[in-house]
């Protein structure tokens, strides 16, 4: 008999991508195979995101499209996992009764068993409890990513305990839960043994790593342990909360050879009153101080960020003040968003919401500014030689290869496919918003 096939659609952050990879591994271990098309898959699994309205809308319309599909093919299992599944729970089933499984954020590692139950006739299943022992999540993480990719993404801490006033993540992902140092080191060793050369450590705030563990190991301690692994060329991590940047972290960035010169340090807003209302726990002065220390200690470091505009009560003057700050800092790149009210969060309850058209106008103004800065900074890099880890053939362009510099910039250059997976020197010859075109150095 042909094996059963699955199709996964993932929304949201890199953590969700990592969770989807893990679910894929679990399904494959249970004999399932990936299906290139949604339409003839035996399992359609949607891993969802709740951080803004838009990704939630997309899931609702996707579920709408799947309703006739399920009628025509009732044996197809439809599962909704992740943050929106956690948030909506059985409301999701009321709106979309053709969904078979609603799988919360601490349950994704049971996907294989739950799908088997549905196929045996037990439906619908709603699994949302947060109490689920995170150690079982830890154990099954080891199954992920076989065979190992050149660049692996590894959750080291799940959940978030920060409660920024606009953010849904702590509600849908639960409190911070770190994986023990020995377990992370063992997993990275395993990945490197199977060919991984770069790891990106993932967490909503990796700098909170270890606080919840016995002995409270720090994130920089974890970095120093991983730096010693033979065959691991590069270590990256994301995201960092500015409040938790320590001198030890800056030293790790400066001194550990495999730790790449890049930090993603979401600022969110550039006016102190707004930062306070967001419950971010730092001021613009403090943020500027961190940027100064990082740039002094780590030559060439790329500092990228997340910025949100139109937080409730943000005055036009505060928005302008923020733009002036971003012009001063000159981020290497930024993810930029218009504030989106999330039901249940403190900010969504406020009465001074900014009208949508104003939020969007501010967003476009910010994007214009940051694009100019990103492009100008990239132009300044032309002529330099970068160490590039070669991913393989570029998505478009004949005979072109794509890879990343240590500062995480994308570099595209002509070269033989045989150098995929190796480190090469590339001279940067042309700057774009997305990165560089380059030429292999002699
Ligand atoms: N843990 C990360 C952020 C995860 S969410 C951190 O604290 O940096 C990714 C980004 O989405 C956030 O940095 C923020 O800029 C944006 N975001 C979060 N909630 C949002 C909301 N309600 N509306 C718009 N953007 C939001
Ligand atoms: Fe959300 Fe703040 Fe936690 Fe980031 S640190 S996930 S923005 S609550
Ligand atoms: Fe979205 Fe959940 Fe990630 S809300 S950004 S998928 S943690």
């Amino acid at each position: 008999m042909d094996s059963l096939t699955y199709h996964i659609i993932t929304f949201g952050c890199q953590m969700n991508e990592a969770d989807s990879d893990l679910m894929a591994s679990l399904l494959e271990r249970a004999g399932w195979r990936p299906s290139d098309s949604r339409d003839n898959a035996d399992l359609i699994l949607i891993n969802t995101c709740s951080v803004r309205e838009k990704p939630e809308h997309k899931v609702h319309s996707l579920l709408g499209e799947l309703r006739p599909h399920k009628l025509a093919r009732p044996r197809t299992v439809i599962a909704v996992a992740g943050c929106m599944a956690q948030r909506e729970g059985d409301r999701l089933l009321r709106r979309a009764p053709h969904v078979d499984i609603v799988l919360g954020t601490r349950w994704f590692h049971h996907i294989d068993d739950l799908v088997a139950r549905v196929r045996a006739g037990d439906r619908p299943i709603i699994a949302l409890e947060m109490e689920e022992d995170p150690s079982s999540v830890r154990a099954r993480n080891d199954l992920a990513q076989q065979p190992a990719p050149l660049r692996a993404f590894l959750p080291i801490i799940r959940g978030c305990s920060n409660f920024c006033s606009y953010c849904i993540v702590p509600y849908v992902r639960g409190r911070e839960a770190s994986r023990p140092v020995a377990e992370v080191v063992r997993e990275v060793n395993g990945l490197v043994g199977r060919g991984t050369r770069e790891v990106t450590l993932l967490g909503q705030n990796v700098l909170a790593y270890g606080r919840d563990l016995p002995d409270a190991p720090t994130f920089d301690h974890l970095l120093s342990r991983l730096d010693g692994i033979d065959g691991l060329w590069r270590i990256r991590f994301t995201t960092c909360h500015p409040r938790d940047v320590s001198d030890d972290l800056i030293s790790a960035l400066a001194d550990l050879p495999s730790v790449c010169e890049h930090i993603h340090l979401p600022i969110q807003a550039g006016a102190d009153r707004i930062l306070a209302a967001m419950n971010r726990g730092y001021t613009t002065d403090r943020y500027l101080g961190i940027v100064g220390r990082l740039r002094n200690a780590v030559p060439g470091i790329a500092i990228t960020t997340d910025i949100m505009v139109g937080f409730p009560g943000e005055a036009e003057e505060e928005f302008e003040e923020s733009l002036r700050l971003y012009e001063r800092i000159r981020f290497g790149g930024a993810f930029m968003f218009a504030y989106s009210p999330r039901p249940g969060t403190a900010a969504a309850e406020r009465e001074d919401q900014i009208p949508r058209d104003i939020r969007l106008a501010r967003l476009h103004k910010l994007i214009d500014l940051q694009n100019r800065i990103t492009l100008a900074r990239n132009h300044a890099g032309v002529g330099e030689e970068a160490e590039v880890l070669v991913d393989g053939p570029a998505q478009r362009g004949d005979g072109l290869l794509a890879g990343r510099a240590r500062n995480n910039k994308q570099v595209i250059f002509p070269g033989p496919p045989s150098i995929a997976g190796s480190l090469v020197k590339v001279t940067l010859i042309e700057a774009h918003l997305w990165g560089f075109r380059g030429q292999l150095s002699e």
Side-chain angles (χ1 to χ4, degrees), residues 159-170 204-205 241 268 280:
C160 181
S161 310
N162 278 324
F163 291 93
C164 300
S165 63
Y166 50 80
C167 187
I168 195 75
V169 171
Q204 293 303 337
N205 173 19
H241 194 301
Q268 309 299 3
R280 288 291 288 176

Side-chain angles (χ1 to χ4, degrees), residues 1 4 32 42 75-77 114-122:
M1 196 185 94
L4 295 165
W32 292 71
D42 300 291
R75 287 282 289 162
T76 308
V77 179
L114 298 183
V115 173
R117 266 173 57 191
V118 169
R119 288 192 55 85
D122 177 10

Side-chain angles (χ1 to χ4, degrees), residues 251-331:
S251 305
L253 275 160
D255 300 338
L256 300 177
S258 53
V259 174
C260 287
E261 296 74 24
H262 171 219
I263 188 167
H264 188 70
L265 196 65
I267 187 169
Q268 309 299 3
D272 287 333
R273 198 183 65 93
I274 300 300
L275 284 172
M278 287 176 161
N279 193 26
R280 288 291 288 176
Y282 53 86
T283 60
T284 52
D285 263 355
R286 169 113 180 262
Y287 192 94
L288 279 170
I290 297 167
V291 168
R293 276 149 62 211
L294 282 164
R295 286 183 172 156
N296 274 332
V298 192
I301 190 169
I303 303 178
T304 55
T305 201
D306 292 355
I307 302 173
M308 197 189 311
V309 298
F311 182 82
E314 182 189 61
E316 193 64 29
E317 173 47 33
E318 285 167 323
F319 168 66
E320 294 290 338
E321 183 187 327
S322 299
L323 292 185
R324 287 194 292 275
L325 185 75
Y326 307 146
E327 209 145 8
R328 239 172 105 191
I329 298 177
R330 294 174 56 78
F331 289 109

Side-chain angles (χ1 to χ4, degrees), residues 41-60:
D42 300 291
L43 165 66
I44 300 173
L45 170 56
I46 311 173
N47 199 4
T48 62
C49 172
S50 278
V51 79
R52 284 167 292 276
E53 251 170 12
K54 207 164 157 190
E56 291 202 334
H57 281 318
K58 284 191 188 156
V59 169
H60 279 303

